[in-house]
Amino acid sequence: MADTDLIINGTRIPARRGDTILAAGEAAGLRMPKDGSAPCAHDALCESCRIRLESGEVDDNGSRIGASVLACRTKVTGEAAFSFQPFPREMKTSAEVIELRSLAPEIVELVVRIDKPIPYLPGQHVLVSVGKWPARRLTPTLSLDGLRELDTLHFHIRRRADGVVGGNPERLFMPGARLKISGPYGQSFLRHGDGRIVLVSSGTGFAAIWSMAVAARLGQPHRPLHIVASAHDPRQLYMRPAVEWLARQGVSEITLTASGAHPLPPARGGRAVQHLPGLAPSDTVYAAGHPDMVRAVMDVAARAKAITYGIPHVPAAQETGMVEKIARFFGREPKQAQTVVATPVDALASNIRRIGPG
Ligand code: FES
């Protein structure tokens, strides 16, 4: 039985102490932000339900960053008010694999043609499933030359020897294969506003950062952009065409960094968080990639009182146990990652020297 009230985006609803904000909002019939795979029963938090606490007290369960909390983790303790941005309605469509192309030794680009457009905002993710296999959480982006056909989606996928199909996504995403896609999900999408936009990625988190960078450049050209793209291994810094596109658009603040033992020029050494510019409350900071990197960047941004959003790469709930299921299906142990020809990292050098910090 309800024993207090919440105000969510201006609507007063009854709530029970001890319930999550997400459950209270949904019980009252509100469309709340969350991931479509109900993933966050385990510890991998997807950030899809992050909302702003406007007033009141809550048990944030360790999820508070600045003035925001995760609605699926935060419990009602009394009257409180929250807000979040309106977001596109979830929809479902089917799609066909057009191409899987190599971007770096461990990274491929999946290109699919969709039957119906999915109206995602830059930074939002979708759930992609093939046949009876569990859905994967992927972030739609543009091709690295800044183009996108309206009926196609591009995704960046990392090969992992210990991951899905033993580092051979070709076995799952064969040209002509039919996929199911639902979404979009997530509150960490590009907003309109003023002030500098700081975009930070690790690994294939660059997919989200790239779609936001293009949208920001074309839709909000008055806002300065600062980009930090990182990888553990410099050979995985696959974004040369994107860097060239940004340079042509006048973006000069781009840092590539490799956190492993042997960074190769033009990549600097160190983790992404070590290369953040000095932050101010007028900045908006987006971080996408490894959950540890995302949390570290969001913490730094929150301490500087900047607005911050995270897009951590965590498996969808349905993906739990996926590796074993697929390995069983193919009747063997996951294979070692396949070695393919990569974009030579030194090809980036002249361009990075030309456009900014090296
Ligand atoms: S739905 Fe709340 S963190 Fe994923």
Side-chain angles (χ1 to χ4, degrees):
M1 203 153 105
D3 53 15
T4 188
D5 282 354
L6 299 179
I7 298 170
I8 299 182
N9 279 355
T11 301
R12 182 173 288 272
I13 62 167
R16 272 190 322 210
R17 288 180 170 83
D19 282 354
T20 65
I21 309 304
L22 180 60
E26 290 193 323
L30 301 182
R31 197 161 71 91
M32 298 290 290
K34 64 174 183 179
D35 181 84
S37 72
C40 299
H42 51 81
D43 282 340
L45 299 175
C46 71
E47 290 281 328
S48 299
C49 63
R50 188 165 286 283
I51 58 177
R52 185 175 170 82
L53 173 62
E54 299 289 353
S55 64
E57 284 304 316
V58 291
D59 172 6
D60 63 70
N61 214 352
S63 74
R64 187 187 296 230
I65 295 181
S68 70
V69 295
L70 294 175
C72 74
R73 284 292 162 119
T74 298
K75 300 235 171 102
V76 179
T77 58
E79 191 163 320
F82 303 88
S83 66
F84 57 83
Q85 291 259 328
F87 52 95
R89 244 172 220 292
E90 176 191 8
M91 58 174 291
K92 297 181 194 311
T93 187
S94 45
E96 179 179 332
V97 174
I98 303 300
E99 188 177 9
L100 196 67
R101 65 170 85 109
S102 173
L103 298 177
E106 291 179 9
I107 295 167
V108 293
E109 178 182 37
L110 169 66
V111 186
V112 305
R113 180 171 297 124
I114 42 179
D115 295 349
K116 266 190 315 203
I118 293 232
Y120 72 91
L121 298 169
Q124 288 193 299
H125 67 269
V126 296
L127 292 174
V128 178
S129 54
V130 190
K132 61 186 178 179
W133 304 116
R136 301 191 71 190
R137 188 183 282 129
L138 295 173
T139 305
T141 190
L142 302 96
S143 77
L144 288 176
D145 55 12
L147 301 174
R148 187 197 143 205
E149 304 289 334
L150 282 179
D151 63 347
T152 61
L153 295 178
H154 297 246
F155 303 103
H156 298 167
I157 300 174
R158 185 176 158 215
R159 299 176 187 278
R160 294 174 49 140
D162 62 343
V164 174
V165 288
N168 283 308
E170 288 84 355
R171 302 174 75 178
L172 207 54
F173 300 114
M174 287 180 284
R178 299 292 296 175
L179 313 177
K180 291 200 172 90
I181 300 180
S182 65
Y185 306 108
Q187 277 284 300
S188 299
F189 51 79
L190 183 74
R191 268 82 167 163
H192 281 269
D194 295 309
R196 181 174 58 169
I197 301 172
V198 180
L199 302 171
V200 188
S201 72
S202 68
T204 53
F206 188 74
I209 291 316
W210 174 228
S211 70
M212 285 193 268
V214 173
R217 211 60 208 144
L218 299 181
Q220 306 182 63
H222 60 289
R223 302 181 73 179
L225 270 185
H226 191 117
I227 296 170
V228 180
S230 71
H232 180 73
D233 177 343
R235 292 173 302 162
Q236 310 304 337
L237 292 167
Y238 60 90
M239 55 289 290
R240 177 172 60 93
V243 167
E244 288 172 351
W245 187 91
L246 289 164
R248 287 198 297 276
Q249 300 293 320
V251 180
S252 61
E253 300 295 335
I254 303 174
T255 300
L256 303 183
T257 181
S259 58
H262 303 293
L264 295 170
R268 294 175 164 189
R271 295 174 298 128
V273 70
Q274 297 171 282
H275 292 281
L276 291 177
L279 296 174
S282 56
D283 290 324
T284 305
V285 182
Y286 296 86
H290 192 284
D292 293 346
M293 183 282 290
V294 169
R295 184 67 197 221
V297 170
M298 291 179 79
D299 283 343
V300 170
R303 280 202 293 278
K305 301 201 178 333
I307 300 165
T308 184
Y309 303 97
I311 307 168
H313 283 186
V314 294
Q318 300 99 316
E319 204 174 334
T320 307
M322 185 177 183
V323 175
E324 293 74 17
K325 283 183 202 163
I326 293 177
R328 272 203 303 279
F329 174 74
F330 287 119
R332 56 167 117 169
E333 292 301 308
K335 290 173 65 176
Q336 289 301 303
Q338 181 180 323
T339 300
V340 294
V341 177
T343 303
V345 73
D346 56 2
L348 293 167
S350 56
N351 191 52
I352 297 296
R353 272 198 295 273
R354 181 163 55 81
I355 64 172

